[in-house]
Amino acid sequence: MELLSPAGNVEKLSYAYAYGADAAYIGLKKFSLRVKADNFYEDEYKKVIELKNKYPNKRLHCALNISFHDNDIDNLKRNIDYFKLYPIDAFIAQDIGIVPLLQKNFPNAELHLSTQASCVNSEAVRMYKSIGFKRIVLGRELSLNEIKRIKDSNPDMQIETFVHGAMCIAYAGRCLMSAYLTGRSAQSGFCSHTCRWEYDVLTKPNGAKKLAESGDLFLREHQRPDEYFPVFEGEDFTAILSSKDLRMM
């Protein structure tokens, strides 16, 4: 088993290694969903190399887990030589468009599928293995029993899961609320967590008795009094309202 920790800057990377993490993952600016972290840039690779030398058995993963547009691919290509300065053991990616680029330029680094890819079944795991992925970070929506079934079906694939953290109302953060209300895309690392804001629940003037199933319910966010969001509750889901945090431990 490997205990993996996020590291938003060099200091946090040092703490992660010192306090027992087997590996830590960093983000490189503009390509990681953790845009609010300090991330890594300029000559910080020298400090990272020093830490790797100090903790020779620790691993370093690099998150390139945004959804890449063509201009992002171009930017990635321009930064390849800079990435090569870091002692990266594995890349965490969700967009298969960058897979050939990483395989060509980092033949010794593993490919790990990001949880953002929403891999939630055994057949998908086999498909990703066929194109070169060494590890699958499963979708956070899975139960322990589902995780066990996937692992039993793919015993030679490394499986990674989150045990704590925020759960999105959409699969792997594929939600447009943040982009719609604030212009900040969740898939570019700028999620404003609009699902966690304070809303009013409103009804039409002649609300139906079975409000939860009627489509007569609306949400109104406090800072947007003239904007309404319809709410509909169906089997196993309620739209819009935020999920509880993940606690798999």
Side-chain angles (χ1 to χ4, degrees), residues 122-139:
S122 302
E123 295 303 324
V125 170
R126 278 190 275 274
M127 187 281 295
Y128 283 113
K129 179 184 177 183
S130 72
I131 61 174
F133 281 87
K134 183 73 175 295
R135 179 183 301 185
I136 304 297
V137 187
L138 294 172

Side-chain angles (χ1 to χ4, degrees), residues 6-170:
N9 54 41
V10 172
E11 183 180 21
K12 292 176 182 177
L13 180 63
S14 176
Y15 285 146
Y17 286 160
Y19 284 92
D22 302 301
Y25 64 93
I26 66 173
L28 297 177
K29 283 195 179 298
K30 299 181 181 180
F31 302 107
S32 163
L33 290 181
R34 292 178 175 267
V35 295
K36 291 184 179 180
D38 295 336
N39 289 315
F40 292 76
Y41 57 96
E42 295 178 352
D43 64 349
E44 288 192 327
Y45 66 89
K46 297 177 182 178
K47 298 177 183 177
V48 175
I49 292 173
E50 289 178 5
L51 281 174
K52 283 278 283 180
N53 290 334
K54 182 178 179 180
Y55 299 98
N57 296 323
K58 306 290 187 177
R59 287 169 54 83
L60 180 70
H61 302 176
C62 177
L64 299 178
N65 52 356
I66 66 168
S67 292
F68 281 78
H69 292 251
D70 278 337
N71 61 318
D72 297 316
I73 296 276
D74 294 338
N75 194 20
L76 176 63
K77 291 177 179 177
R78 287 192 293 268
N79 283 274
I80 285 293
D81 288 339
Y82 174 67
F83 289 179
K84 289 180 179 179
L85 298 174
Y86 285 82
I88 296 170
D89 297 300
F91 286 98
I92 306 170
Q94 68 150 318
D95 195 324
I96 61 174
I98 67 171
V99 168
L101 190 62
L102 295 177
Q103 290 174 325
K104 176 182 177 181
N105 288 278
F106 302 91
N108 296 321
E110 296 178 359
L111 282 176
H112 295 178
L113 185 72
S114 170
T115 188
Q116 298 297 125
S118 299
C119 184
V120 293
N121 66 74
S122 302
E123 295 303 324
V125 170
R126 278 190 275 274
M127 187 281 295
Y128 283 113
K129 179 184 177 183
S130 72
I131 61 174
F133 281 87
K134 183 73 175 295
R135 179 183 301 185
I136 304 297
V137 187
L138 294 172
R140 303 187 189 196
E141 299 79 14
L142 292 173
S143 68
L144 284 172
N145 286 335
E146 290 174 312
I147 293 169
K148 183 180 185 303
R149 176 175 175 177
I150 289 173
K151 179 60 178 176
D152 289 344
S153 299
N154 296 275
D156 54 347
M157 172 61 82
Q158 294 180 14
I159 297 296
E160 180 180 316
T161 63
F162 281 82
V163 296
H164 176 71
M167 283 291 293
C168 294
I169 62 168

